[in-house]
Amino acid sequence: MAKILVTGGLGYIGSHTCVALFESGHEPVVIDNLSNSEAHVKNQIEAITNSSISLEVLDLCDFDALNRFLEKENDIAGVIHFAALKAVGESVEKPLLYYQNNIQGLINLLTAQKNAIPFIFSSSCTVYGDSDILPLKEDFPFQKAVSPYGSTKQMGEEILKFSAGKNHQGPVIALRYFNPIGAHPSSKIGELPRGIPQNLIPYLTQTAAGKRTILSVFGDTYPTHDGTCIRDYIHVMDLADAHVFALNRLLEGKNKNNFEVYNIGTGKGCSVLELIHKFEKTTGVAVPHKIAPPRAGDVTAAFADTELAETVLGWRAKRSLEEALLSAWNWEKQLP
Ligand code: NAD
Ligand code: UFG
């Protein structure tokens, strides 16, 4: 059982990944400052896995506290680094907060790390920007970032590309997530947006549940088959599994390079209107919606070329979009 440090492990993707780690025989050790998560998520992970999990409430920007913690935890075999701020709009309003939290947090973690151990980084398909060529492939160049948030993901990858394998840094895999949705089938963990949701699925499920009156579809004149934006929606449990595949590749020393990048998506694009209709058909619940003006910064279409993850990591998404939507709905229904 390898001890794996999971930063941001009580967050949306981190909590599902903790479950996947336990199920694959690893032992997650979580650091989280609870800035965008709730302490009780720890109990929920424990209830699903029937195991106890170690949690350190700590801010990665507090170097001394982090360093003390890592001096104590000297048998960590790998790191999965989720901890970051992720609200695109907020990052435009508070750019320095995003650079400080996401970049300073990453540098502190790399600096405080004691041994050259495997490191998995949460990147995003946002690094590709608005590409005319689809599906998106890992070797496409970065486009100019449209938000400070996206810029922190590009900078994070650059920092890791140059530092991986140097001094006391181990090998790194950056996973470029497409659009994670859904929840664990137990409905014990899921997405917990604070305030008004900015992302499509939590807004949609809250509307279906009657907590919001109507869902705005941002734009219907994009050059797509129905005019609405296309994304690659992936079940969060598939995304969680991808971390285990990436981690095992590094732990087993199968990586060819010190820095590798993989797209983590399904390879299938779905428009906003298609998603709403699929949700309605799958759950039998209507989603009141209206067409609204486009949202600034949205790209027309983004979906993954998944060949590299399939052939090299041996991972591919197994769960259907219907399963993901149903799990998101089951999660929403049991929320207060
Ligand atoms: P989340 O906000 O649910 O989880 C992030 C966790 O990190 C939270 O629990 C938060 O409290 C913690 N955290 C933030 N800053 C911290 C700090 N300085 N020190 C300690 N803990 C800190 O977000 P998520 O959706 O689970 O995303 C996880 C990662 O994946 C992030 O890096 C995010 O940028 C990236 N990502 C997410 C998406 C998405 O759509 N959810 C897409 C692409 C990439
Ligand atoms: N949308 C609506 N109405 C809403 C919310 C969203 O029509 O109320 C549309 C958006 O315009 C977009 C699609 O639904 O076309 C998906 O939007 P999300 O906000 O759910 O997701 P994004 O693709 O904009 O971005 C998300 C994360 C980013 C991450 C990216 C890729 O917010 O941080 O996925 O992983 F980089």
Side-chain angles (χ1 to χ4, degrees), residues 106-263:
L106 171 65
I107 293 175
N108 280 355
L109 182 59
L110 294 172
T111 309
Q113 212 175 281
K114 305 298 165 211
N115 307 305
I117 50 176
F119 191 100
I120 311 295
F121 177 64
S122 294
S123 188
S124 165
C125 67
T126 191
V127 299
Y128 294 115
D130 206 352
S131 169
D132 293 334
I133 308 164
L134 291 161
L136 298 161
K137 277 180 91 103
E138 286 85 347
D139 58 4
F140 287 7
F142 286 173
Q143 300 266 344
K144 200 168 169 293
V146 291
S147 71
Y149 167 71
S151 163
T152 67
K153 290 299 168 192
Q154 295 186 343
M155 287 172 72
E157 282 202 25
E158 292 282 315
I159 289 166
L160 289 163
K161 182 172 73 188
F162 288 113
S163 59
K166 300 272 167 60
N167 307 314
H168 65 292
Q169 307 307 337
V172 174
I173 288 181
L175 299 178
R176 291 182 183 156
Y177 311 155
F178 282 69
N179 288 56
I181 62 166
H184 190 267
S186 65
S187 298
K188 288 192 191 320
I189 52 171
E191 198 169 1
L192 280 171
R194 291 195 167 156
I196 300 170
Q198 304 299 310
N199 296 114
L200 179 59
I201 288 299
Y203 206 106
L204 185 157
T205 55
Q206 290 192 9
T207 308
K211 294 175 189 167
R212 313 235 162 243
T213 45
I214 194 157
L215 169 70
S216 292
V217 174
F218 296 143
D220 69 343
T221 55
Y222 285 96
T224 62
H225 62 283
D226 64 11
T228 65
C229 294
I230 291 176
R231 296 287 182 275
D232 182 340
Y233 298 95
I234 173 169
H235 197 304
V236 66
M237 289 306 300
D238 276 328
L239 179 58
D241 289 343
H243 292 81
V244 177
F245 280 72
L247 182 72
N248 286 345
R249 176 172 171 79
L250 296 183
L251 288 172
E252 290 162 17
K254 289 185 177 158
N255 53 306
K256 300 272 184 299
N257 308 292
N258 276 325
F259 181 75
E260 296 182 342
V261 176
Y262 298 94
N263 282 342

Side-chain angles (χ1 to χ4, degrees), residues 12-13 32-33 35-37 59-60 82 86 101 149 153:
Y12 175 42
I13 307 170
D32 206 302
N33 67 356
S35 61
N36 198 35
S37 53
D59 192 324
L60 292 182
F82 292 105
K86 62 163 183 176
N101 193 72
Y149 167 71
K153 290 299 168 192

